[in-house]
Structures are given as structure tokens and as C-alpha cells.
Amino acid sequence: MAREKPQPLLQDHLGNESDQIEEHKDGNAQELTRTFNPRTQAWDLFRQQFWRLLFTAVLVALVILTLTIYDNRQAIARSDKNAFNTITTILNLALGLNFFEAFKDMAKVLRWRVLANRKFTVRETDLILGGESLVKLSTLMRESMKKPLTCSVCAGWLALNLLAQASVAMISLTYSMDNGVDSTTITTSSGMVSVPRVDCYYNNGTCTTDPDQPPEVAQNEAHAYGELTQGLEGCNYTTDEDIFSSSQDCQYFSSNNRQEFAYRFAEYNPQDRRRAYPYQTQRLIKSSPGQCYQYTPRGNDIHFADSRDGPKSMVVHRFSDGTDEDFISVSRSKTAFDSTTYAYIGIRAPQNASAIACGPRCIWLYAIRFDGTVTKRGTDIFKCPITVSTVTNTADPAHIVPDNTARMAAASIALTGRYTNPIRHSRKHWQQYQLYPYGSHWETDNLTPQEIGSRMAEFAIGSLTGMAKLNKHTTIPGTLPTLGFQLSVKWRYVIALMSCIVGVHCFLVWLIVFIARPVAIPGDSNLVTARLLQGMVGKIGEKGGLLKGKEIADAIQQEMLGSGNGRGTVGYGIRDGKEGMVLEVGEGMVRRKDLPGGKFPEGEYA
């Protein structure tokens, strides 16, 4: 059975509408013409590209702003790191997509200049018109291997697109989010913290002032910790705010006139076994000398006394300030020419001292500066009250340094842990002496009484510092330090890369506008493209609605070659129409270089 032709079922429905279109066709004809002016077109193209360029500049500025904000932060919490990664990822993606769209816009402009310059096959023309797609551009390059110029241009445009995306990807190589390593990169929160026990001097985890512990141990440890002061880095301060704003490197602090010393307590993360990233608290303990006195004994006021160390093993110095008289006994083994001996002359141990206590946290100490052949000086005796303050800003009993421990620290420069009975009493007497030879750090040559008191107070704060550093720890609620992150930015690479991105985009905008000036650039609508292709595509009539692009191109190419009227190549140009100059893609178009001045003439186009 013969197959019937389909009936024009839509004719009745479209008939009236077609009539209406015909009625208004002549009335709208004038509205379909446009005037081509290269200068006006250049400004229009610049305005179109400018907004894309401006968006690139804004995104670059936001990237730099983000890096600046996070680079200025010493410590970045994990949540802030995640926020930073999210922000930079969004900005980099936006910048990459903006670049991608910018290149698509440029390709839609450049394709007309390319088609206006020379003739191409129908297949090549189709791929060039779709040149904003990198896939189609790759196909054009592959199918044009025998045409070096076309292939090179395609490869260059693909490389430029890839380079643009690579430049965006390279932004992430200009910075790194590094793990923190010390207290400069900590973040804090409330939690259980590790703090040193400061209720006494601990030895092997045992409090040395416990009743079953020999009292010599506590006194020896107090002095040993004080000796560590020579290896600690101290910093000067005027007010407490100077202490609170200081760096981690300051182990203890000294007032500018060296009449007050301070230690700042820290709290640690229980997981921080190495104590590498402490949180520096607002808690302080201080030591200071009171008014110090100087005495010069006369030669006939020096006597010798017996002790358990042997006959005449003690040197007794009598001295007077003109009103009151006193004496001090010093073990002969703790005396030497050109040296200084610090003396604690209490009967009881320092933590229990009463007679030589000048307050609940204060001890009177002596320093005997002996004569000698090097210094050419006489013997002098100095007497100073050394006070250790309470801990400021305490919030837990574990923060408190008790009075007995404070007195132990105050007397630490003179302590040895060895008792003496210089006047033959049967009970232990705790007079103790420490000898420092000429030239040692704690020797007192040419020092004033207050400067000697400063040495005693500095030794005391060093003893407390050592106790806080070396004592066992306990866990209490506090401010928990956690290692954060730190942004490291290679700014010279950032600035160079960002400048390159914006600069290249600026150059490409200028280049596109400059290249497009001699050619009338149609709009990028599919309808506009369809209008320009109607003469060429119309060669296959109503057929080919479901064919692929390559199949239609081949069909049109065959029709063109079969007609015998051309070489089968098409281009973008102008021809004379019934109503003036007509823009079209097809055969027989006047190429740009064949036009006067090598450019499309100004005027109205149908």
C-alpha cells in the first residue's frame, strides 16, 4: 500500500496567525534595520566586558582581603580554619567560573572576526560558531590538523583557557594553613587544665613540708630552684599590663628599678606533655626587698665561738647602727676573702620562722661582704626584709601559694638544708649560710644595700619560678589552651599572581575590543545566529531537523558543491539585499579584507 503524505493538520490553526504576520510585516520592516558604527560598537563591547572584568577585580580583592584578615590572626581555631577553607574555595571557584564565562564571551565576539577574515568549510564554520565550547574547539583543532594556522589558533586559545584556570588554582599555592607549635598559636576555651601545685616544694612527687619529710629537703630544693634564675630569660616591666602583653619567652619579670620581681602563672592542656603551648594567665606572684641597712663592724667586734663543727668554728660579728647593737654568727667554712655570704639566722626553719619574720610572708636576711686583697674593701654587713606577695586573681585553692612556702622562697638565697647549733643547744638550729666567691652572679661587690636586697628578691622569684616549672601538676577547671593553626602567606607571590590575573584580563578586554572594531558583531542570541545562517542552512530545505551538526554540515557542503556555483566554502560578510546591505554567513559574501579600509562600512544594515 502506498504511504500517504501527512496532511497539513496545522494549516487551519496557523493560517490566521500567518495572515496577521503578513499584515504587520511591512509596518515593522523599518524597525529591523540597525546602524553599524565601529566606535559605538567598541564602547558597547567594552561595557559588556567591563562588568566581567570588574567582577574579576572584586573577587581578587576579596581573596586578598580574606588572606589579610586571617594572616593578621596569630591563632586560628579549627572552626575558623574550616570557615577560611570554605571562603577561599568559594572565591577560587567563583574566580575560575568568571574567567571561564569571560573567555566564552570573548569567543562569541572573536568568532565573527575569524569568519570575516577568511573562508571555511561548512563544518569548520559550525565549529567556529560554537567556539565558546572548549570541546568543539578541540574538535576543530583535531579536524584541522592539515591547516597549521587554524590548528595553532585553536591550540593557543585552549592553552590560554587552561592557563587562566591554572592561575586561579595556583592561588592556593601562595599560602598554607600550618599547625601551631607553641603558645603563640593557641586558641582557648573553658575546660579542665593542668596547673603546677604550688602549696609546697615537691620532691619526687611528695610535698617536702609533710611531717614525715626531712625539713632539709624543702630548704635545699628552694635554694636549688633559685639558682636556676641565672639560666632564665627575664623581661622588664613598668606596670602589670607590660607583663600581660609580654611574649612566652619571658620566664620571670623585673621592674625597671629592679626593686620588684614577678612570675606569671600558666595553665596547660593535659594532653600537652611537653608543656609546649601554655595559656598565660592573669595570676602573678611578686617578691621585693623592703628598706635595707648597712653596717660596718669594727675589728675588735669580731670574735670566734665553738660549735659542733669544732672549736672556734664560728665567727661572731658584732655591729651597731649607733642606737641598737646586734651580732651575727657565721660558720668559718662559709667565709672567704673577697666573697659574700648570705645568712639566714633564724632558729626555726623558714616556713615556721617567727623571730626573724617581718610579716606573714616576709623574712629578714643578712649578707656579709668580706674584705680581701682583690677588692681592697672592708667587711660590711647588710640586713634586708624580703617579702613574697600573695597570688593575684586566684579562682581556685590550687592557685594559692601559702605563707610558709612564701617564707621559704624569701629565704632561699641563704638556705643549704644544713642545720647548725652554734651555741650548743641540743635542738636543731637552722642558721644557714651560702657563700658566693668574688666574680659570681650573686656576689655583692660595689652594690648598694638596696641593690643587694634586689639580688635576694630576684633569687626568691627564681625559686618560685623553678617550683612552678618543676613541681607535680594537678587538674582543675580553667582556661584550656588548644593548638590552633597559623596562616602563612607568601605575599610577593600573591600580589604578583593577582596582578597578573587582573592585568591579563584587562589586556584581553582591550584586545577583544580592538580586534572586533572592523567587523559588525551580531548579538550572541541563538535567534541572531539562526538569522545569519538562514541562507546557508536553507539549501537543504525542510529536511534534517533531527540530524546531528556534522551530518547537516556535510549535507549543506554536498548541496553547495553539487550546485557548481562555488568552492564549498563560506564566510561572514556583507551582500547587497533588496533593502540595503545584509549581514550573512554563506557563499559569495564580501570578505572584510576586500572591503574599503579592510572594515565593514558604517551605515544601516537590513
Side-chain angles (χ1 to χ4, degrees):
M1 180 183 294
R3 192 166 60 180
E4 298 181 357
K5 293 184 178 181
Q7 299 295 322
L9 299 177
L10 299 179
Q11 184 174 354
D12 293 337
H13 297 282
L14 298 179
N16 294 334
E17 184 177 348
S18 300
D19 294 340
Q20 294 173 5
I21 292 175
E22 288 294 332
E23 291 175 5
H24 293 283
K25 184 175 180 180
D26 293 337
N28 293 334
Q30 184 63 33
E31 297 179 9
L32 297 179
T33 63
R34 289 291 183 270
T35 299
F36 167 63
N37 184 300
R39 290 175 296 278
T40 303
Q41 175 182 270
W43 279 110
D44 289 341
L45 288 175
F46 175 75
R47 279 192 293 269
Q48 295 171 14
Q49 298 297 323
F50 172 76
W51 295 113
R52 189 75 67 185
L53 173 62
L54 181 62
F55 192 40
T56 294
V58 169
L59 290 173
V60 165
L62 289 175
V63 171
I64 293 176
L65 179 62
T66 302
L67 293 178
T68 301
I69 291 174
Y70 279 86
D71 188 40
N72 289 335
R73 297 174 61 177
Q74 272 197 318
I76 300 173
R78 182 170 295 277
S79 58
D80 292 334
K81 176 194 174 186
N82 294 337
F84 172 81
N85 290 337
T86 301
I87 293 171
T88 52
T89 300
I90 291 174
L91 291 176
N92 288 346
L93 285 175
L95 192 56
L97 290 174
N98 183 61
F99 250 138
F100 183 71
E101 290 298 320
F103 275 93
K104 288 178 65 175
D105 291 344
M106 293 176 189
K108 290 177 181 178
V109 173
L110 287 177
R111 61 185 179 179
W112 301 112
R113 174 63 187 267
V114 172
L115 290 173
N117 274 7
R118 55 180 296 194
K119 299 295 184 68
F120 296 90
T121 66
V122 177
R123 172 61 173 167
E124 289 171 341
T125 301
D126 180 40
L127 293 174
I128 290 172
L129 288 173
E132 71 272 14
S133 168
L134 298 183
V135 174
K136 289 188 176 181
L137 205 62
S138 301
T139 302
L140 176 61
M141 183 177 69
R142 187 179 68 252
E143 295 183 4
S144 304
M145 296 302 291
K146 295 182 179 180
K147 297 181 178 181
L149 180 60
T150 303
C151 187
S152 299
V153 171
C154 292
W157 188 254
L158 287 171
L160 195 59
N161 275 266
L162 294 175
L163 183 61
Q165 297 303 318
S167 66
V168 174
M170 286 173 62
I171 295 175
S172 61
L173 301 179
T174 62
Y175 61 85
S176 60
M177 188 68 75
D178 303 323
N179 291 323
V181 295
D182 55 32
S183 62
T184 61
T185 55
I186 63 169
T187 59
T188 58
S189 59
S190 297
M192 299 301 292
V193 298
S194 176
V195 297
R197 299 197 61 171
V198 292
D199 52 332
C200 70
Y201 288 88
Y202 280 80
N203 181 45
N204 294 325
T206 302
C207 182
T208 53
T209 57
D210 288 349
D212 58 343
Q213 292 294 310
E216 291 88 345
V217 177
Q219 297 170 46
N220 186 270
E221 289 220 343
H223 180 82
Y225 288 165
E227 290 283 6
L228 297 176
T229 309
Q230 296 183 62
L232 300 178
E233 181 175 351
C235 299
N236 293 336
Y237 72 97
T238 302
T239 65
D240 290 353
E241 289 303 318
D242 297 331
I243 298 177
F244 298 144
S245 62
S246 65
S247 69
Q248 181 188 12
D249 296 331
C250 301
Q251 302 296 314
Y252 73 102
F253 301 87
S254 169
S255 64
N256 290 326
N257 62 0
R258 299 191 62 82
Q259 290 299 295
E260 185 178 75
F261 299 86
Y263 173 72
R264 185 182 186 184
F265 288 95
E267 295 177 347
Y268 300 87
N269 190 313
Q271 304 301 319
D272 180 17
R273 304 297 183 187
R274 298 174 57 190
R275 313 278 190 257
Y277 50 97
Y279 165 70
Q280 301 293 340
T281 71
Q282 305 289 299
R283 299 195 304 276
L284 300 176
I285 190 169
K286 298 180 179 181
S287 64
S288 59
Q291 179 63 48
C292 296
Y293 303 92
Q294 180 176 358
Y295 307 96
T296 303
R298 296 185 298 273
N300 56 2
D301 287 338
I302 300 177
H303 307 281
F304 297 96
D306 299 339
S307 74
R308 291 193 176 182
D309 290 333
K312 296 184 178 182
S313 58
M314 301 297 295
V315 182
V316 180
H317 296 268
R318 293 187 179 275
F319 56 89
S320 172
D321 60 3
T323 302
D324 298 321
E325 290 189 359
D326 204 348
F327 71 91
I328 181 172
S329 301
V330 182
S331 173
R332 293 184 70 178
S333 63
K334 296 297 182 179
T335 64
F337 291 119
D338 300 307
S339 64
T340 296
T341 297
Y342 292 93
Y344 168 78
I345 62 170
I347 299 299
R348 297 180 179 178
Q351 63 267 37
N352 302 316
S354 57
I356 63 166
C358 40
R361 304 171 73 86
C362 179
I363 293 290
W364 283 100
L365 291 181
Y366 289 85
I368 303 93
R369 185 165 63 192
F370 294 102
D371 59 359
T373 57
V374 176
T375 59
K376 306 297 184 182
R377 67 191 181 194
T379 298
D380 292 297
I381 298 175
F382 302 88
K383 179 181 179 182
C384 289
I386 306 300
T387 300
V388 173
S389 72
T390 57
V391 180
T392 60
N393 301 314
T394 58
D396 190 276
H399 297 159
I400 297 173
V401 176
D403 292 348
N404 58 352
T405 303
R407 288 196 296 270
M408 184 80 75
S412 58
I413 196 171
L415 301 182
T416 61
R418 181 180 184 274
Y419 63 89
T420 57
N421 289 342
I423 52 177
R424 299 184 182 278
H425 282 268
S426 59
R427 59 179 179 162
K428 289 182 178 178
H429 292 173
W430 289 104
Q431 288 96 338
Q432 298 174 62
Y433 314 94
Q434 280 286 358
L435 172 67
Y436 291 94
Y438 177 74
S440 67
H441 179 73
W442 304 107
E443 209 272 322
T444 62
D445 187 47
N446 291 325
L447 297 185
T448 66
Q450 288 305 125
E451 289 173 336
I452 293 173
S454 170
R455 293 291 177 90
M456 297 175 179
E458 184 178 14
F459 198 99
I461 207 67
S463 179
L464 291 168
T465 300
M467 179 183 70
K469 297 287 185 184
L470 301 175
N471 266 11
K472 63 184 290 188
H473 278 229
T474 186
T475 303
I476 61 172
T479 302
L480 179 66
T482 304
L483 273 181
F485 302 87
Q486 190 171 34
L487 182 65
S488 176
V489 183
K490 301 178 182 67
W491 280 111
R492 61 176 179 173
Y493 297 117
V494 171
I495 299 303
L497 184 59
M498 296 304 182
S499 300
C500 183
I501 289 173
V502 177
V504 169
H505 199 161
C506 287
F507 174 74
L508 288 176
V509 169
W510 173 84
L511 187 64
I512 294 300
V513 173
F514 178 79
I515 290 177
R517 286 187 75 239
V519 179
I521 304 298
D524 61 358
S525 168
N526 290 331
L527 294 176
V528 174
T529 305
R531 153 64 187 80
L532 295 172
L533 293 173
Q534 66 180 358
M536 183 177 69
V537 177
K539 293 181 180 298
I540 60 174
E542 298 177 348
K543 298 177 291 183
L546 293 179
L547 295 181
K548 296 180 180 179
K550 188 175 187 306
E551 294 172 329
I552 292 180
D554 291 342
I556 296 173
Q557 193 77 40
Q558 291 298 324
E559 288 288 338
M560 292 169 58
L561 293 173
S563 66
N565 296 327
R567 299 171 58 186
T569 57
V570 297
Y572 170 58
I574 60 175
R575 65 175 176 81
D576 291 326
K578 295 179 180 180
E579 299 180 6
M581 291 184 294
V582 177
L583 293 172
E584 195 170 282
V585 176
E587 291 181 293
M589 298 295 106
V590 180
R591 294 181 299 175
R592 179 191 63 81
K593 66 180 182 179
D594 297 330
L595 294 169
K599 59 183 179 180
F600 284 27
E602 296 184 30
E604 288 192 354
Y605 286 78

